[in-house]
Amino acid sequence: MIHKRRISTAAYYLIGILIAILAMIPFFWMISTSLKARGALMSIPIEWIPKEPTLGAYVKVFSKFPFFRTIGNSLFISITYTIITLISASMAAFAFAKIKFPKADLLLKIFLATMMIPTQVTIIPLFVVMNKMALINTYASVLLPSIFRPFAIFLLVQQMRTIPNDYLDAASIDGASTFTVYARIALPLCAPTLATLSITTFMESWNDYLWPLLMLTDKAKMTLPIALSTLNGQYATEYNVLMAGSLISMVPIILIYIFAQKYFQNGMMAGGIKG
């Protein structure tokens, strides 16, 4: 029995290692390509490890366009987008989960039903609205959709429903206002879910291409995904430069995940299973 258990454990770890290796191959190929000279990209046989590694592609990325400026634009939009999402979604989730008002469950169901509407369907109406409000080519046009995030509300509602009402009632009896109960009691108890939501929202905003492309016509305001798309030429593409830019764009996501990974699993479990 013990022997079989050891074999199954070994097989489990072996399969996990193989899957991890397969998942890392594209990432390793990106690093390898970014360190190659242009002439070595199409060499046969394939050079998995460059014979003459060079940082020329990384230097060229910064000469193609104002790379630091685009990184700053993406950071500003992604951080602001995440903050607005956390504030608006947590307030809405607290109202749905803990404040009793007529037709609350029906309104929540209608609200969540909008998740089934494809994003492509709403792009044109949103564009018309932003145009009517004279917000085209402003950061506000990119950030305003963050106020309406049904998935974020769904995730937080599940977590807030697990908070005992006794905690909230005790604070109210002590004279705390509804906003104080929300800010001082509910939010700290939702920290793992908020951390998870922060990571996923930041990643989504950081990698978003289509909506900023439609809204931001000024090159000085373009985000990193838009800037990277300019590296794709009409007749030829410098893949080493493109891979170098893509790797640099991954750094903020990796850093955020490293620092917040301890909350990620707990947040997904708390927000997705409990209810």
Side-chain angles (χ1 to χ4, degrees):
M1 186 69 179
I2 296 176
H3 183 65
K4 290 183 179 180
R5 185 179 299 174
R6 287 178 178 176
I7 293 176
S8 62
T9 302
Y12 174 81
Y13 282 109
L14 179 61
I15 294 173
I17 292 171
L18 290 175
I19 293 175
I21 292 173
L22 290 174
M24 289 297 294
I25 288 176
F27 185 70
F28 178 77
W29 178 249
M30 287 179 66
I31 297 176
S32 174
T33 303
S34 70
L35 295 175
K36 292 178 182 178
R38 188 171 183 179
L41 292 176
M42 302 300 177
S43 61
I44 302 297
I46 295 174
E47 295 181 9
W48 284 95
I49 300 177
K51 294 180 180 179
E52 298 179 0
T54 175
L55 296 177
Y58 291 90
V59 175
K60 200 167 186 178
V61 165
F62 291 91
S63 64
K64 285 281 188 178
F65 49 80
F67 202 80
F68 285 113
R69 187 182 185 91
T70 59
I71 290 178
N73 293 339
S74 287
L75 282 174
F76 170 74
I77 290 174
S78 299
I79 292 172
T80 309
Y81 192 99
T82 302
I83 292 173
I84 294 174
T85 296
L86 292 179
I87 294 173
S88 61
S90 61
M91 285 183 173
F94 181 77
F96 283 124
K98 295 302 180 182
I99 299 177
K100 296 181 180 180
F101 58 93
K103 305 297 183 183
D105 290 339
L106 177 61
L107 183 60
L108 178 60
K109 290 176 182 178
I110 295 173
F111 205 73
L112 297 180
T114 60
M115 288 193 296
M116 295 185 290
I117 302 176
T119 304
Q120 293 80 357
V121 174
T122 62
I123 284 180
I124 295 177
L126 272 176
F127 182 87
V128 172
V129 170
M130 297 300 174
N131 190 38
K132 292 288 185 181
M133 298 173 65
L135 293 178
I136 300 298
N137 198 32
T138 65
Y139 291 131
S141 62
V142 181
L143 297 173
L144 279 177
S146 63
I147 298 174
F148 182 80
R149 299 279 296 168
F151 176 75
I153 294 172
F154 167 74
L155 202 63
L156 287 169
V157 163
Q158 307 309 310
Q159 174 64 29
M160 288 193 178
R161 282 177 174 171
T162 65
I163 300 174
N165 291 329
D166 293 341
Y167 292 173
L168 311 183
D169 294 339
S172 299
I173 292 172
D174 288 339
S177 64
T178 302
F179 183 79
T180 302
V181 173
Y182 152 77
R184 299 285 183 87
I185 308 297
L187 286 187
L189 293 174
C190 295
T193 305
L194 289 172
T196 300
L197 188 59
S198 299
I199 297 171
T200 55
T201 304
F202 185 92
M203 290 174 60
E204 181 181 345
S205 179
W206 180 265
N207 294 322
D208 192 14
Y209 172 76
L210 182 58
W211 185 243
L213 178 65
L214 293 174
M215 292 293 104
L216 303 176
T217 57
D218 187 355
K219 289 186 177 180
K221 296 179 180 179
M222 69 179 176
T223 58
L224 192 55
I226 299 174
L228 291 176
S229 70
T230 63
L231 297 177
N232 285 317
Q234 182 177 1
Y235 301 105
T237 300
E238 296 182 77
Y239 290 103
N240 54 343
V241 180
L242 182 60
M243 292 300 104
S246 299
L247 284 170
I248 295 173
S249 71
M250 293 169 61
V251 171
I253 300 294
I254 294 173
L255 291 177
I256 290 175
Y257 184 78
I258 289 174
F259 287 111
Q261 62 177 330
K262 62 180 181 180
Y263 299 107
F264 191 82
Q265 183 176 1
N266 292 335
M268 288 300 292
M269 291 177 64
I273 298 177
K274 295 179 183 178

